[in-house]
Amino acid sequence: TQLLEQSPQFLSIQEGENLTVYCNSSSVFSSLQWYRQEPGEGPVLLVTVVTGGEVKKLKRLTFQFGDARKDSSLHITAAQPGDTGLYLCAVMDSSYKLIFGSGTRLLVRP
Amino acid sequence: NAGVTQTPKFQVLKTGQSMTLQCAQDMNHNSMYWYRQDPGMGLRLIYYSASEGTTDKGEVPNGYNVSRLNKREFSLRLESAAPSQTSVYFCASSGGQLRLAGVETQYFGPGTRLLVL
């Protein structure tokens, strides 16, 4: 059983559309991170959220940490082809190791 | 700064062969990590080194060994490669001071693509 469930697994949209991807768990976490991985590259950190209900914005990306700190969402407004990639959420488990979800693969078509 | 570098970029092995994946970072980070990434599985931690001189098992350590050669370098060795070890391997590093708080940024290398026949 995965500690983190990400949905959807795959999303293909047209440039200019909005989208939301989710990261869910039954466990409570003190913090949660989102990474983006472009094809052929390693993941790059986008944001860390630490407070229940917290909302962080990074240009057209909006990240929210659930009130109960069990889930998170990433909303992209007016998606662009440069947003194409694999979006991974990650949390620290009880033995202080970073655990990743299986990711949402996003394709933004021009 | 090069960040995190990995060699080789690609490798093909036959079952039973051995090889060492090399990783180096130039950010003076204390902690270093090895992950593997398989389709639909996200990234899974193989081994990590919280600081120079220490190494610990991650989620999937079987079939691998590691060496923290110095503060900059962390190598991953496959003693007898198996087809199940076909994967993309990523090395990462982080400062280490905030690791236990779960708020550190991990910086990843570009990966090594390994095919075991």
Side-chain angles (χ1 to χ4, degrees), chain A residues 31 33 37 45 92 97, chain B residues 37 57 99 102 104-105 113:
Chain A
S31 63
Q33 296 183 320
Q37 183 178 17
L45 180 71
M92 191 71 70
K97 299 183 187 69
Chain B
Q37 186 173 36
K57 294 179 181 178
R99 188 177 67 84
E104 279 198 336
T105 301
R113 282 143 188 85

Side-chain angles (χ1 to χ4, degrees), chain B residues 23 40 51 62 88-89 93 102 107:
Chain B
C23 173
S51 59
N62 290 346
V88 182
Y89 291 85
S93 70
Y107 295 87

Side-chain angles (χ1 to χ4, degrees), chain A residues 15-75:
Chain A
E15 182 176 0
E17 293 183 1
N18 302 330
L19 66 116
T20 303
V21 298
Y22 301 92
C23 176
N24 296 302
S25 178
S26 56
S27 301
V28 176
F29 302 107
S30 58
S31 63
L32 185 144
Q33 296 183 320
W34 284 94
Y35 286 78
R36 178 169 66 206
Q37 183 178 17
E38 297 184 10
E41 307 274 338
V44 175
L45 180 71
L46 295 173
V47 77
T48 301
V49 286
V50 297
T51 305
E54 181 177 4
V55 176
K56 279 192 173 178
K57 293 195 175 185
L58 188 67
K59 297 183 181 177
R60 294 176 293 100
L61 279 60
T62 302
F63 304 85
Q64 183 159 10
F65 201 14
D67 291 340
R69 291 183 287 124
K70 292 182 178 182
D71 52 75
S72 181
S73 63
L74 158 58
H75 182 79

